[in-house]
Amino acid sequence: MKVLLSWLREFAPIEGDPYELADHMSDLGMAVEETRILNPLEGVVVARVADLRPHPKADRIQLVDVEIENGDPMQVCCGAFNMSVGDLIPFATIGTVMPDGMEISQREMRGEMSNGMCCSAAELGLGSDHDGIMILPEHLETGAPLMQELGLVGDILWDLEINPNRPDAMSVAGVARDLAARLDVPFEIPEWTVPSSGAAEDLASIQIDDGVLCPRFTGRVLRGVTVGKSPLWMQMRLTLLGMRPINSVVDVSNYVMLELGTPNHTYDLSLLPNGHIGVRRASDGESITTLDDQERMLQPNDGLIVNEADEPIGIAGVMGGASTEISDTTDSVLVELACWEPRSIARTSQRLGLRSEASARFERGTDWQINVTAVQRFCHLLNEVTPGGIEIVGEVLDVAGTTPDSISVPVRTSRISMLLGRDFSSEEIRNLLTPIGFDVENTDSQDVQLVTIPSFRPDTETETDIAEEVARHYGYGKLGATVPRSPDAGHLSPQQKLRRVIRQVMTGAGLIEAMPNPFLAPDDITKAALIVEEPVRLLNPLAVEESVLRPSLLPGLLTAVAYNYSHRNMGAKLFETGPVFEASEDSSGLPLETEHLAALISNADAFAATSLLKDLASTLKLEFQLTNVDGLAGLHPTRGAKINIGDTEVGSLGEVDPAVLRSYEIEDRCAWLNLRLDLVIEAAISVEGVSYQPVSTFPSSDVDLAFAVGEQVQASEIEMTLRKAAGEELQSLHLFDVFRSGQLDEGVRSLAFSMRLQAKDKTLTDEEVGVVRQRCIEAVESAHPASLRA
Amino acid sequence: MSVYDQIAEAKAASVGEIEKTGDLESLKAIEPMLFGKKSTLGGLKRLMGEVDAQERADVGQALNEAQLFVREAHEAAKKKFELSDRRAQLETERLDLTESLHVANRGHLHLVTQTMERLEDVFVGMGFTVSEGPQAETDWYNFEALNLPAAHPARSMFDTLYLDLGDRTEIGDGEGGEATNILLRTHTSPVQVRVMESTAPPIYTVCPGRVFRRDTADASHMPVFHQIEGLVVDRGISLADLAGTLNEFTAAYFGGAISSRLRPSYFPFTEPSAEFDITCVICEGDGCQTCQRTGWIELGGCGMVHPNVLANCGVDSEEWTGFAFGFGIDRLALMRYGIKDLRDMYTNDVRFLEQF
C-alpha cells in the first residue's frame, strides 16, 4: 500500500520529518519499504505545443516548437508522436537534472537543434507510462513550474508493507487513523453530502439470498454519467499509488477504494432488466463471461451477482461481467458497494487466478459500517469530475445480509501487563485504544474494562489481540527487555551429540559434507539401480525432475560427484546425513522417514568404505559385522557387503555398480558406505559408559599366524574363530597381510593375523602362549577349509 | 725417585694417554690403563706397603688425588667426544621442512551445518535444548494446530508441497477436497507443537531443521532450505522476555555491536506478533546498500504463542504463556560470508565447500 502525505492530510493534520514519520509507521506495523520525497523537478515547466513538423533527416523523431510564456517558440527534437498542436506538455528546460540524474543540455540531432526535452510521465517519476509525452490538462498555466501546478511540491510518497491482519491499513484513511493516534493529532473521515432528487426504488432493487456471503450491499443510482477523463490531480494520485488512470468512472471507483479501503463496482443500469440485482452462491455448471471477455466456469462456493432472470452478471468481489459493463453510451449507472465473506473471495480469486487490489481487500475483510460513507464519496467525486455534474437519484439503497455482531471483550489490565511485561494502568490502555477506534468502558471490576472492537478491525477478537494493539501503539521498543531462565541446563541430547561426533569422524577422514537436492526425478531411482516399489511422490511438484522424495542418499551423492567430475574436481569425497523416505507408513500415518549416513568416495575402491567404517567403529566403540553379498541394489555386484550390529542390519558398503557410474559419467571407481544413522546412534548410546578394562601390568606376547584359506570363506569368519579360540588372554587381533599367488593352491589366498596375548595377573610363559597358539590353529583348521602356512 | 714423584709421573702418563685419544672409541680403549688395579696409577697402590706407617696416610691421599685428577680428565674428554659426535649426527639428519609431500586431507562440514551448530551452541548456552521432528508432516502439525485452519487466507504465505501417498493422500480434514493431509513441513513449527504435546512446561527449546516451500530456485530462494525456531513456555512469559532473549542471542551470535529490535507484524500462530530486525552486520547501523540505508536488516518473525496454539497442544494459556521466534539459517550463512547467490550453497562443488 502506498500513501501520499497530502492525501493523509485530508484526514488528519499530519506533520513531521518524512523519515521520522516513516519510522512511526514501521513501528506501528506498517513497515515502510520506501520513503520518496517527490522530486521538485526544478526546470520542468508547462509548455504549449506551437508547431509540429517532420525532421528532414530522420523518421523516428519529429521537430516540435514549444512555447513557454510569450517568448519565441523553441525547437526540440522528440521521439514521441502522441501530441497535437495546442497541447500542454511537461517540458524540461536546458540545465534541468532529471530524476534519473541526466542533465538536459542543448544538443544537435542530425543537423537540427534540440533545446530541451518533452517528457513522459515515467521520465518525470510520476508514473509508469513510457508510451508518450504526458498531455497536461488545459487549465494549467504555460511557463509555470510543473510540480507546483500539479500541487505535488514537497509531497511525500511512502510504500508500506501491510500485514494480512490489517484490512484497515489497506486505505489512505486507515493509515491516517493509525498515524494520527501515534502523533496525537485528531483524525476524521468527512461525511460527504450530495444533493439528490427523485426516488431510486422505482429504478433499482437489491436482493440478498445469502446473507453470509454478502453481509451488506449498498447501492446508488446515478444519471447523466458520461465517461471521460478524470482530472489530472486524480490521475496523479492514482498513478503515484500504483494504479493506471483509465477513465473518469473507473478512476473514481479506484480512488474511493484506495481512500477508504472499499472496492466498488458500477453497472450500466440500462442493461439490468428492471434494475434488479440479486446475490447468491453459484451452482455447479454455471459460467460467466467476465469484463476481460473470458468465459469463467463457476463452482458452488463462488459468490455471484445475478440479474432479474437469475443469470450471472458478476463474480462477487472478484470481477464484473461483460454483459452490464459501462460504455461510452452509458447514462444511468448503479454503483455497488458491497461487503463479502472473505473466505469465499479468497477461494474464488485464487482458483480463477484473478487476484486484484479489490480481492486483496475483500479477502482481508472490508468495513461494513463505512458503506454509506463510501457510496456518498463515490457520488461526490463522480459529480465533481464529470463536466456539468451528474444526477444522483433518490436515497441510498442499503440491504443487509448477516452483518457481523459487534464484539465487546473484557480486558484485564493485569493480563495485558503480564503479557507485555510492563505494568500498564487501565487509563493508559484506554488512552492507547480509543484513538484507533476501540470503545473502552469501565466495569464493576477495577481490573477489567470492556473493549468494543470497531468494524474495520475484523482481525481483532480477543483479549490477546487487544494486547497487541496496546503494545503496537505504546511501542514495542519501549516495553523493555528481560531474559527468562530455564530451570534446567541447556544441552544437546545424546543422539545429537553422537550425530556431531559421527560427522567429525567423516570430516576427520577427509570427507566433505554435501547437501544434494532431496527431490529426484522418477528415473533417478533406476539410473542408480535402486529397487523401490513405491517411492514417495509429490502431489504438486515444481517440475517432474523434482517429483520424488529420495528413497536413498545414493542418487543425490552420485549427482554431486558427477557435478564435480564435470568441473574437473576428480576424487571428490562426499558424505551426507539426512532422512530418506518410504511410502510405507509409520504408526502416525506419515511416510516412513529414517535418518541415514552415506559416503561416496570417488577414485577409491571398496576398502575406502571399510576403512571409514572401522574409523567409525573405533570412535563409537561399536563392532560392525560385514557379510559379503552379491548384487546389492546400486552396488558393484561382486563388491558389496551388508553391515550388521549383532542381529540388526544397519547398512551396506562396497563400490558403486560400474554401470551406474557410467550412466553418471563418472570414470573412476567409487566407494560407497550407507548406514542407518538412527540405529547406529542407538547402538552407540547403548555401549556408552560400559566399564573399562584395567591395563595389565604384565608383559604381552605377540603371535602371528598365516593361513591358506579358501576364497569362499570371509576373512572375518577366520578372525571370529581366532577370537573365540584365543580366549580371555586375547588383547588384540587384526588381519595384517593378504596375498594371492600362483604358489598357493587354486582358489586359496593367504591371510595373516597378528594377535597380542596378555594375562591380567601374570606373565604368560612360552608354554602357555604355545597352548593358545595351538588352540587357535586347530580351531581354524577344523572349522574352515584353511591350513596354517609354514 | 720419591714415592710422590712416582705418583706424579704416573698421573702425567695417564693424562698424556687421554690427550692422545681422538674419539670415544679410542678413549674407551685406554680405560684399562687409566682405572682399576692394572692401571698405571692402580699399580702404585703397592707403594702403600712400602712406606712408613705414619706416611701411609699422606701417600694414600696423594694417590687418591691423582686418581681423581685422571678421572676428571677422562670425563672431560668423554663429554667433548660425545658432543662432537652429536653435532656430526645432527648435521647428517638436517631436514628442509618445506619438503613435505602431505596434502591436507581433512574434510569440511557444509556451511549450513556449521551455521546450524553455531546457533545450537549459542542457544544451549542460554539454557535451551534442541528438538527435532519429521520433515514429512501432517496438515495438523504444520498448519491446523498452529491456528491455520484449512482455507485460512494466511496459508497463502506458505507455498506448500504435498505428498502423494495413494489412498492415504487425503485423510480428510481438508476443505473442499483441496487440502491434502501429508505435506513437507513449510517451517519447523510442527516440532514446537510436538514438543508442547509431549512435554509439560516449562519448555525452553530450539527447533533447527530442513524446511520446504514450493518456490522456484533463484538467488535468494530455494525450495529446500533451513530454519531455526525457538520456543519458550513458562509461567509469566511476556513480550519483554521475547525482546530480551532475542537481544541476548543477537549479542552472543553476532557480537556486542549488533542489537535487535521488534516491529509489529502478523503471524497466525502468534499474538502479539513481531518481525525482529538486527543491526545491519555489514555497516553496523550506519546504513549501506545491504540494509537499504536503514541500518537494520530483517532477520525473522516472532511473537507470543497464540492462545489457540497453546490450547491445541493441551497447554492452559491462563497458567502458561510463551513466545516463539524463527529465522532462516541459509540467509545467515550467506550474510556472514557475503555469498551472493543461495544456489551456490547447493551445487555441492567441492571448491565451494572446502572454503568453510
Side-chain angles (χ1 to χ4, degrees):
Chain A
M1 176 80 200
K2 289 180 179 167
V3 290
L4 201 58
L5 178 62
S6 60
W7 204 343
L8 291 173
R9 286 176 54 82
E10 291 180 14
F11 297 93
I14 290 162
E15 278 172 36
D17 175 81
Y19 294 96
E20 274 173 29
L21 292 175
D23 286 345
H24 279 305
M25 288 188 275
S26 289
D27 196 45
L28 287 167
M30 304 177 290
V32 174
E33 293 183 328
E34 193 191 359
T35 299
R36 223 176 94 201
I37 300 166
L38 293 189
N39 195 309
L41 297 175
E42 279 166 35
V44 180
V45 297
V46 178
R48 184 175 299 277
V49 177
D51 189 28
L52 294 165
R53 52 185 188 283
H55 189 294
K57 291 185 192 152
D59 292 342
R60 296 219 175 151
I61 48 177
Q62 62 174 335
L63 298 177
V64 186
D65 284 339
V66 298
E67 207 173 64
I68 304 169
E69 292 170 290
N70 298 322
D72 292 333
M74 282 187 289
Q75 175 177 289
V76 221
C77 301
C78 180
F81 292 83
N82 65 315
M83 61 278 211
S84 318
V85 172
D87 280 351
L88 292 184
I89 58 165
F91 179 69
T93 54
I94 287 164
T96 302
V97 178
M98 300 298 285
D100 66 0
M102 182 182 76
E103 188 177 334
I104 303 296
S105 57
Q106 192 177 44
R107 291 201 295 160
E108 194 183 300
M109 294 174 89
R110 295 218 170 185
E112 294 288 343
M113 289 310 290
S114 187
N115 298 298
M117 187 170 90
C118 308
C119 307
S120 70
E123 283 163 337
L124 296 170
L126 293 175
S128 55
D129 197 345
H130 279 283
D131 291 347
I133 301 305
M134 192 175 176
I135 308 295
L136 301 170
E138 277 302 304
H139 61 83
L140 301 189
E141 189 188 331
T142 314
L146 176 74
M147 291 302 270
Q148 199 172 309
E149 282 296 290
L150 294 178
L152 291 172
V153 173
D155 216 343
I156 295 149
L157 186 70
W158 290 284
D159 191 359
L160 311 179
E161 188 190 344
I162 303 299
N163 291 314
N165 65 329
R166 291 293 308 280
D168 63 305
M170 297 283 283
S171 67
V172 174
V175 173
R177 180 192 291 115
D178 233 22
L179 188 55
R182 169 58 66 91
L183 299 174
D184 198 21
V185 295
F187 164 83
E188 196 186 10
I189 297 179
E191 282 299 328
W192 291 281
T193 53
V194 285
S196 65
S197 58
E201 288 78 6
D202 305 338
L203 301 170
S205 60
I206 297 159
Q207 184 188 332
I208 299 175
D209 284 349
D210 189 326
V212 174
L213 171 67
C214 181
R216 190 175 184 186
F217 194 119
T218 309
R220 197 133 207 213
V221 174
L222 315 172
R223 267 198 199 128
V225 174
T226 54
V227 178
K229 278 205 139 195
S230 63
L232 190 71
W233 64 265
M234 181 176 280
Q235 290 187 27
M236 285 325 309
R237 282 192 169 178
L238 292 174
T239 303
L240 288 167
L241 265 69
M243 298 202 84
R244 208 185 159 93
I246 310 283
N247 62 47
S248 53
V249 177
V250 175
D251 290 357
V252 165
S253 169
N254 284 333
Y255 192 94
V256 171
M257 174 179 72
L258 293 173
E259 183 170 71
L260 299 173
T262 48
N264 50 81
H265 187 68
T266 46
Y267 301 88
D268 186 328
L269 197 56
S270 69
L271 300 173
L272 280 176
N274 288 322
H276 182 80
I277 273 193
V279 174
R280 64 166 171 87
R281 289 193 201 260
S283 43
D284 244 340
E286 279 190 290
S287 68
I288 180 174
T289 303
T290 43
L291 278 173
D292 53 358
D293 286 325
Q294 299 262 325
E295 165 127 10
R296 311 271 180 186
M297 294 306 296
L298 299 168
Q299 283 187 3
N301 262 316
D302 297 334
L304 271 192
I305 321 279
V306 293
N307 62 13
E308 192 178 37
D310 206 29
E311 294 157 353
I313 56 166
I315 307 174
V318 177
M319 195 180 254
S323 65
T324 54
E325 193 180 353
I326 303 277
S327 68
D328 292 345
T329 59
T330 299
D331 176 76
S332 298
V333 161
L334 176 68
V335 54
E336 162 202 314
L337 223 134
C339 296
W340 302 107
E341 182 195 28
R343 280 182 172 211
S344 168
I345 304 296
R347 260 197 308 265
T348 304
S349 64
Q350 204 165 348
R351 194 190 75 243
L352 297 175
L354 291 172
R355 314 292 293 269
S356 63
E357 291 280 339
S359 73
R361 285 170 174 77
F362 283 129
E363 272 177 43
R364 289 162 162 86
T366 54
D367 177 11
W368 65 276
Q369 288 198 342
I370 205 173
N371 271 22
V372 172
T373 305
V375 129
Q376 296 293 83
R377 178 58 165 161
F378 184 97
C379 300
H380 169 260
L381 276 174
L382 192 61
N383 184 49
E384 195 178 309
V385 308
T386 306
I390 55 168
E391 183 190 345
I392 296 152
V393 184
E395 293 302 304
V396 172
L397 302 165
D398 195 12
V399 180
T402 312
T403 52
D405 292 330
S406 135
I407 301 174
S408 295
V409 187
V411 171
R412 290 164 292 174
T413 301
S414 57
R415 179 74 177 176
I416 301 287
S417 299
M418 191 279 281
L419 279 173
L420 302 183
R422 177 191 176 271
D423 281 330
F424 284 91
S425 69
S426 300
E427 196 187 351
E428 279 180 303
I429 291 174
R430 186 180 327 124
N431 291 342
L432 288 166
L433 292 175
T434 310
I436 50 169
F438 290 78
D439 194 38
V440 184
E441 288 169 58
N442 290 328
T443 67
D444 295 342
S445 160
Q446 232 182 352
D447 190 37
V448 181
Q449 301 182 90
L450 195 64
V451 176
T452 305
I453 291 155
S455 57
F456 51 82
R457 295 300 304 273
D459 58 294
T460 305
E461 290 170 334
T462 64
E463 189 181 40
T464 318
D465 297 336
I466 306 274
E468 179 172 84
E469 294 307 302
V470 171
R472 214 163 56 79
H473 276 273
Y474 179 73
Y476 276 29
K478 284 155 64 185
L479 285 173
T482 44
V483 184
R485 282 290 169 223
S486 168
D488 304 313
H491 60 274
L492 295 176
S493 69
Q495 285 82 354
Q496 289 158 348
K497 284 181 195 151
L498 278 165
R499 188 195 285 130
R500 287 191 178 190
V501 167
I502 289 168
R503 287 196 188 122
Q504 293 299 342
V505 171
M506 294 293 124
T507 58
L511 274 68
I512 296 174
E513 188 185 16
M515 286 199 178
N517 192 346
F519 301 136
L520 305 178
D523 57 6
D524 281 343
I525 293 170
T526 43
K527 190 178 173 191
L530 298 175
I531 299 152
V532 181
E533 272 184 36
E534 196 51 51
V536 181
R537 290 174 207 283
L538 299 185
L539 199 62
N540 56 340
L542 278 162
V544 69
E545 295 76 37
E546 301 192 340
S547 63
V548 174
L549 264 186
R550 61 185 181 193
S552 156
L553 300 181
L554 179 60
L557 283 172
L558 279 170
T559 304
V561 166
Y563 177 91
N564 279 292
Y565 266 72
S566 70
H567 290 75
R568 290 190 37 79
N569 309 327
M570 318 313 184
K573 299 155 82 173
L574 303 180
F575 82 98
E576 186 187 7
T577 64
V580 304
F581 300 85
E582 283 173 53
S584 62
E585 61 191 292
D586 70 4
S587 55
S588 61
L590 292 171
L592 203 58
E593 187 175 326
T594 45
E595 193 178 9
H596 281 219
L597 161 73
L600 185 60
I601 307 170
S602 64
N603 195 20
D605 69 14
F607 287 114
T610 57
S611 304
L612 202 53
L613 187 67
K614 282 185 178 179
D615 286 350
L616 261 184
S618 156
T619 305
L620 301 178
K621 301 175 213 73
L622 285 177
E623 280 174 31
F624 295 105
Q625 294 87 41
L626 297 187
T627 311
N628 295 326
V629 180
D630 284 359
L632 287 171
L635 295 199
H636 188 300
T638 59
R639 291 187 172 193
K642 67 184 175 93
I643 307 168
N644 271 60
I645 298 175
D647 293 335
T648 312
E649 189 177 330
V650 297
S652 61
L653 51 59
E655 276 173 37
V656 178
D657 190 327
V660 170
L661 291 173
R662 259 197 306 282
S663 68
Y664 280 89
E665 296 177 27
I666 300 167
E667 298 118 32
D668 291 323
R669 290 181 182 280
C670 287
W672 169 250
L673 169 67
N674 183 61
L675 286 169
R676 278 278 302 269
L677 194 59
D678 53 338
L679 297 179
V680 171
I681 286 174
E682 285 314 316
I685 288 171
S686 72
V687 300
E688 259 184 345
V690 170
S691 63
Y692 90 111
Q693 293 297 318
V695 175
S696 171
T697 53
F698 297 93
S700 58
S701 307
D702 292 336
V703 175
D704 290 351
L705 293 173
F707 295 95
V709 183
E711 292 281 7
Q712 72 273 32
V713 183
Q714 290 192 180
S716 61
E717 294 175 57
I718 307 293
E719 191 180 318
M720 194 96 77
T721 304
L722 285 171
R723 199 173 286 282
K724 269 193 207 139
E728 61 178 12
E729 272 88 37
L730 183 69
Q731 209 214 343
S732 68
L733 166 66
H734 68 272
L735 179 66
F736 74 92
D737 187 46
V738 179
F739 86 91
R740 291 177 168 79
S741 141
Q743 296 163 338
L744 298 170
D745 291 344
E746 175 102 5
V748 162
R749 85 286 204 195
S750 164
L751 301 174
F753 294 88
S754 178
M755 310 164 75
R756 174 161 286 190
L757 304 173
Q758 190 177 33
K760 285 182 183 130
D761 52 355
K762 61 178 178 180
T763 305
L764 290 174
T765 64
D766 289 351
E767 290 74 31
E768 286 166 326
V769 171
V771 168
V772 174
R773 183 176 182 277
Q774 198 53 40
R775 200 162 66 217
C776 287
I777 295 166
E778 281 166 15
V780 169
E781 290 185 335
S782 67
H784 308 288
S787 56
L788 186 73
R789 297 187 58 237
Chain B
M1 216 197 293
S2 75
V3 174
Y4 299 106
D5 288 343
Q6 287 182 50
I7 292 172
E9 195 179 314
K11 179 176 115 180
S14 296
V15 170
E17 286 301 321
I18 290 171
E19 282 167 353
K20 273 190 259 170
T21 61
D23 55 25
L24 272 178
E25 209 176 332
S26 51
L27 184 65
K28 184 114 186 151
I30 63 159
E31 276 172 7
M33 287 168 64
L34 305 179
F35 314 118
K37 282 187 182 150
K38 290 178 180 163
S39 65
T40 317
L41 272 168
L44 292 182
K45 280 225 169 138
R46 71 185 155 79
L47 293 175
M48 299 282 280
E50 292 168 15
V51 295
D52 294 344
Q54 62 264 47
E55 219 179 333
R56 209 170 282 164
D58 290 342
V59 173
Q61 193 187 347
L63 258 177
N64 278 342
E65 281 172 1
Q67 273 176 339
L68 191 64
F69 188 84
V70 170
R71 210 168 275 284
E72 281 171 358
H74 171 267
E75 197 56 36
K78 189 178 167 201
K79 278 211 174 112
K80 187 179 82 186
F81 296 141
E82 279 174 348
L83 192 64
S84 61
D85 280 5
R86 177 178 146 81
R87 285 208 178 112
Q89 176 71 22
L90 294 183
E91 200 50 48
T92 65
E93 291 180 4
R94 182 173 292 284
L95 281 187
D96 171 4
L97 296 184
T98 63
E99 286 170 3
S100 164
L101 302 180
H102 178 75
V103 177
N105 183 37
R106 293 294 96 159
H108 303 263
L109 288 179
H110 195 279
L111 178 55
V112 166
T113 304
Q114 291 186 30
T115 309
M116 199 182 287
E117 289 188 354
R118 262 200 296 267
L119 291 166
E120 288 172 0
D121 291 345
V122 168
F123 284 113
V124 164
M126 290 167 64
F128 286 66
T129 59
V130 177
S131 303
E132 297 167 29
Q135 296 179 2
E137 266 294 5
T138 62
D139 195 79
W140 167 261
Y141 284 107
N142 195 72
F143 287 130
E144 301 225 2
L146 292 160
N147 202 29
L148 267 159
H152 191 290
R155 278 208 184 189
S156 63
M157 290 160 74
F158 308 92
D159 290 321
T160 310
L161 285 162
Y162 290 95
L163 299 186
D164 177 0
L165 292 167
D167 297 344
R168 291 186 292 120
T169 298
E170 288 173 32
I171 306 186
D173 38 17
E175 204 171 334
E178 284 171 40
T180 24
N181 195 259
I182 295 173
L183 46 81
L184 290 171
R185 65 182 183 192
T186 56
H187 42 198
T188 56
S189 311
V191 182
Q192 296 188 30
V193 177
R194 288 176 179 275
V195 169
M196 283 191 275
E197 273 184 352
S198 60
T199 319
I203 294 167
Y204 291 74
T205 197
V206 289
C207 320
R210 179 169 277 191
V211 298
F212 306 82
R213 299 273 170 92
R214 198 173 182 279
D215 264 339
T216 309
D218 62 27
S220 53
H221 294 90
M222 286 294 283
V224 181
F225 58 105
H226 303 81
Q227 264 191 349
I228 187 164
E229 295 186 4
L231 172 71
V232 168
V233 181
D234 205 340
R235 288 193 174 85
I237 291 293
S238 70
L239 194 59
D241 289 332
L242 170 59
T245 301
L246 290 175
N247 275 344
E248 190 175 74
F249 159 73
T250 304
Y253 185 82
F254 295 100
I258 307 298
S259 58
S260 65
R261 70 170 185 191
L262 300 183
R263 275 187 296 113
S265 187
Y266 170 75
F267 303 102
F269 22 82
T270 48
E271 187 77 32
S273 301
E275 299 274 357
F276 84 95
D277 297 342
I278 57 166
T279 318
C280 177
V281 292
I282 309 292
C283 63
E284 296 195 345
D286 293 340
C288 66
Q289 207 166 357
T290 302
C291 59
Q292 290 164 337
R293 273 162 273 282
T294 59
W296 294 94
I297 40 182
E298 202 175 302
L299 198 64
C302 58
M304 301 296 292
V305 182
H306 198 289
N308 292 355
V309 176
L310 292 173
N312 286 337
C313 301
V315 178
D316 177 354
S317 61
E318 278 293 311
E319 184 179 359
W320 306 97
T321 52
F323 64 72
F325 57 85
F327 52 89
I329 293 175
D330 306 59
R331 221 181 112 237
L332 223 52
L334 294 193
M335 258 161 47
R336 191 182 184 103
Y337 293 98
I339 299 165
K340 298 274 183 287
D341 194 323
L342 187 53
R343 289 167 293 191
D344 290 348
M345 290 216 296
Y346 294 100
T347 58
N348 299 306
D349 190 319
V350 296
R351 294 166 299 180
F352 179 86
L353 298 171
E354 276 171 352
Q355 297 181 48
F356 306 101

